[in-house]
Amino acid sequence: MQRFNRNIALMAIWIPDLDGRTGPKYLQIVAAMAEDIASGKLAAGARLPPHRELAYRLAVSANTTARAYAEAVRRALLRGEVGRGTFVRSPDGRKDGETANSLHRTRSGPIDLSRNLPLQGFAEPHVRRVVEEIAHGSRLPALLDYQADDDLAFHIRAGQAWLDHCGVSAGPDEIVATAGGQHAVLCTLMAVLQPGDLLLTEALTYMPVRAMAARLGLHAASVAMDREGAIPEAFEDLCRHAHPKAFYLTPTLQAPTTVTLSHERRRAIADIAGRHGVILIEDDVFGPLKADRPAPLATHAPDHTVYVTSLSKTVAPGLRVGFARAAEHLLPGLRHAVNVSVWMTPPLTLEIAARLIVDGTAAELAARQRQVAEQRQALARALLGDSGLVSDPHGLHVWMPLPEGWRADAFRARCAQYGVLVSEARSFAAEAAGAPDAVRICLSHEIDEARLQKGLRKIAQLLHDKTGNYELGL
């Protein structure tokens, strides 16, 4: 019975997949561990088996697994606790039971440069005004009830106006209102793909989309990128050999790299998608921040592009209203997905957003965000220097490839020790093993600019502090 129980325990422990890997065995184990952490298979706080038990399971020496664990600790993947064991380290370096970084903005504690949200506060007086108008108007009873199609006319007209502000023309029958941009993307995946279909994303992408794909039973693959964004030739090669159904991408102020696709690449990608029958899912939530961007993909390929925009990245983060524009043959599936997921986009929230759009306030608030983004981008360049820093004057974040000798996981962990939270490239990588050594630094989550300056100065100090270098250990 004792041996039987031991076998059951071994079956339940984490076992790295080493098939096809090369190099020293202990580094193969570390690489597999990093990939499983990035994919969520190994969650923060998960307890790993004792290294001798893992060695037994892998049929390697205990010295090999001990070296692997030591290397993983050095890379800030794991943490060891005397008498308790070895655990997966949380992204911000905190221990179990400690408060992790959240969406809440505070003026104390760690300086959070990991959240890509717009500044709050600009919209408050305008939303307060609109809410008071609704409260004293005649539409409130209808907004508290279920909505029929006729009730949505004002909201759809507002959606048309916002899409026009984003550079996309749309008829009222081509628009679906959603509970934010993320909801619009989820509904699009539900509408245009079936379980087993192949979804493409950029090699570095908005990772909730990969999680959505997994939940919906979709296969996923990534399109290679260079300094100018997604590579059209790589997209076409996948179209020829893998036959994808859809390609999700963020052509403007791409998260995390800040890249905005050129007019030429947009035309090429639209042409490739048309020839191979691939649906483009264009996430343009940052589009209104960049007035000089090329025309959206949807203008080049209106029949096979679902264009997604929202107000949460440019007007107010808590105003969860989005709009999806699609061709007629895609609209029934989109509307059904909204019905299945939330039945209807909350009418009261839609009314607030629609009034802000129609009276011009939403566009003014987006312009205000753009102005602050320019100021904070200038601050980041001044404190971090231009060497290697990838940024856009109108974006809310910067992308920082690290100097030689720094690993992104170690740099992120060192930043956390200094009280600054950043995101490493692996958090966005479709394939963790190929993630570059780089970090994303967000500039708008912190309310207090003095805290932002302090955080950027600490990062700059780390970059020049050779005692913090990964090669010298953590």
Side-chain angles (χ1 to χ4, degrees):
M1 178 63 73
Q2 187 174 15
R3 182 173 179 81
F4 174 80
N5 289 337
R6 174 176 171 78
N7 288 338
I8 292 295
L10 283 173
M11 289 173 62
I13 69 174
W14 172 75
I15 304 296
D17 182 3
L18 306 184
D19 289 346
R21 300 185 186 277
T22 59
K25 189 71 71 175
Y26 82 101
L27 290 180
Q28 293 181 35
I29 296 171
V30 174
M33 185 186 302
E35 291 179 17
D36 285 351
I37 291 172
S39 69
K41 184 176 179 180
L42 273 176
R47 184 175 181 175
L48 268 68
H51 75 88
R52 292 183 182 278
E53 194 165 2
L54 184 61
Y56 175 85
R57 184 71 176 196
L58 294 175
V60 299
S61 71
N63 182 59
T64 296
T65 51
R67 289 186 69 188
Y69 278 24
E71 179 67 12
V73 169
R74 206 162 79 100
R75 295 189 187 187
L77 298 172
L78 304 179
R79 56 180 173 79
E81 296 187 19
V82 177
R84 292 194 64 218
T86 306
F87 300 85
V88 176
R89 191 182 183 112
S90 66
D92 58 7
R94 297 174 188 264
K95 296 181 180 180
D96 297 338
E98 291 183 317
T99 303
N101 60 317
S102 71
L103 296 177
H104 295 291
R105 309 183 201 227
T106 67
R107 296 180 184 272
S108 61
I111 298 169
D112 194 346
L113 308 184
S114 69
R115 300 292 185 179
N116 206 13
L117 301 177
L119 283 166
Q120 63 175 181
F122 297 150
E124 182 180 342
H126 305 284
V127 172
R128 191 182 300 277
R129 165 182 58 81
V130 169
V131 168
E132 289 175 354
E133 291 173 358
I134 294 171
H136 295 94
S138 60
R139 281 179 56 81
L140 182 58
L143 295 171
L144 298 178
D145 202 350
Y146 286 94
Q147 302 289 289
D149 289 344
D150 292 344
D151 301 319
L152 300 175
F154 174 60
H155 299 158
I156 294 301
R157 288 199 303 273
Q160 281 183 277
W162 188 248
L163 285 163
D164 186 65
H165 178 69
C166 295
V168 175
S169 297
D173 294 332
E174 298 177 322
I175 300 172
V176 175
T178 65
Q182 184 169 325
H183 181 232
V185 172
L186 174 62
C187 289
T188 302
L189 296 180
M190 294 170 62
V192 305
L193 294 104
Q194 298 294 324
D197 284 344
L198 177 62
L199 171 69
L200 301 181
T201 67
E202 294 150 304
L204 296 167
T205 190
Y206 178 56
M207 287 311 289
V209 172
R210 306 278 294 197
M212 294 177 198
R215 287 287 185 181
L216 295 174
L218 307 176
H219 298 300
S222 61
V223 176
M225 302 172 68
D226 60 16
R227 293 174 62 89
E228 298 179 24
I231 302 171
E233 294 79 9
F235 173 41
E236 181 146 36
D237 185 62
L238 283 166
C239 288
R240 287 172 176 164
H241 299 102
H243 309 294
K245 186 70 176 290
F247 179 17
Y248 166 86
L249 69 167
T250 52
T252 300
L253 298 175
Q254 203 261 354
T257 66
T258 80
V259 170
T260 293
L261 277 180
S262 67
H263 172 78
E264 292 74 20
R265 289 208 179 188
R266 292 178 190 229
R267 287 291 299 268
I269 287 172
D271 178 64
I272 293 165
R275 286 190 281 106
H276 292 276
V278 177
I279 300 296
L280 298 174
I281 305 172
E282 180 177 13
D283 190 339
D284 200 35
V285 293
F286 293 112
L289 294 175
K290 190 169 176 61
D292 62 345
R293 74 191 189 281
L297 282 166
T299 64
H300 302 298
D303 290 339
H304 50 272
T305 300
V306 179
Y307 177 87
V308 171
T309 184
S310 78
L311 276 70
S312 60
K313 293 293 188 185
T314 52
V315 176
L319 198 57
R320 306 300 301 170
V321 171
F323 298 100
R325 180 269 163 205
E328 183 179 357
H329 67 283
L330 298 173
L331 286 167
L334 270 171
R335 293 193 176 106
H336 178 67
V338 172
N339 293 152
V340 167
S341 56
V342 295
W343 183 253
M344 61 180 180
T345 303
L348 188 57
T349 309
L350 258 177
E351 181 77 11
I352 295 169
R355 294 191 183 206
L356 292 175
I357 292 169
V358 170
D359 69 11
T361 301
E364 292 177 5
L365 291 172
R368 181 83 180 274
Q369 292 284 355
R370 190 185 309 127
Q371 292 171 356
V372 175
E374 291 175 357
Q375 296 167 6
R376 294 199 167 192
Q377 287 284 347
L379 177 65
R381 289 192 298 273
L383 294 178
L384 298 177
D386 292 329
S387 177
L389 195 68
V390 182
S391 65
D392 186 291
H394 305 108
L396 302 178
H397 64 283
V398 299
W399 181 244
M400 191 172 71
L402 296 172
E404 185 178 354
W406 269 115
R407 293 185 63 96
D409 49 12
F411 187 82
R412 182 263 306 153
R414 181 66 81 181
C415 284
Q417 291 174 353
Y418 272 54
V420 182
L421 307 180
V422 299
S423 301
E424 62 180 282
R426 194 178 60 194
S427 301
F428 312 96
E431 299 177 9
D437 286 311
V439 295
R440 186 189 70 176
I441 301 169
C442 298
L443 306 177
S444 55
H445 182 74
E446 286 289 341
I447 302 170
D448 188 348
E449 189 169 300
R451 275 173 58 86
L452 173 63
Q453 289 188 33
K454 183 179 179 181
L456 293 173
R457 286 196 176 98
K458 288 186 175 184
I459 292 172
Q461 179 184 349
L462 269 177
L463 288 172
H464 296 95
D465 180 8
K466 299 304 181 182
T467 64
N469 190 293
Y470 165 75
E471 294 298 324
L472 299 178
L474 279 174

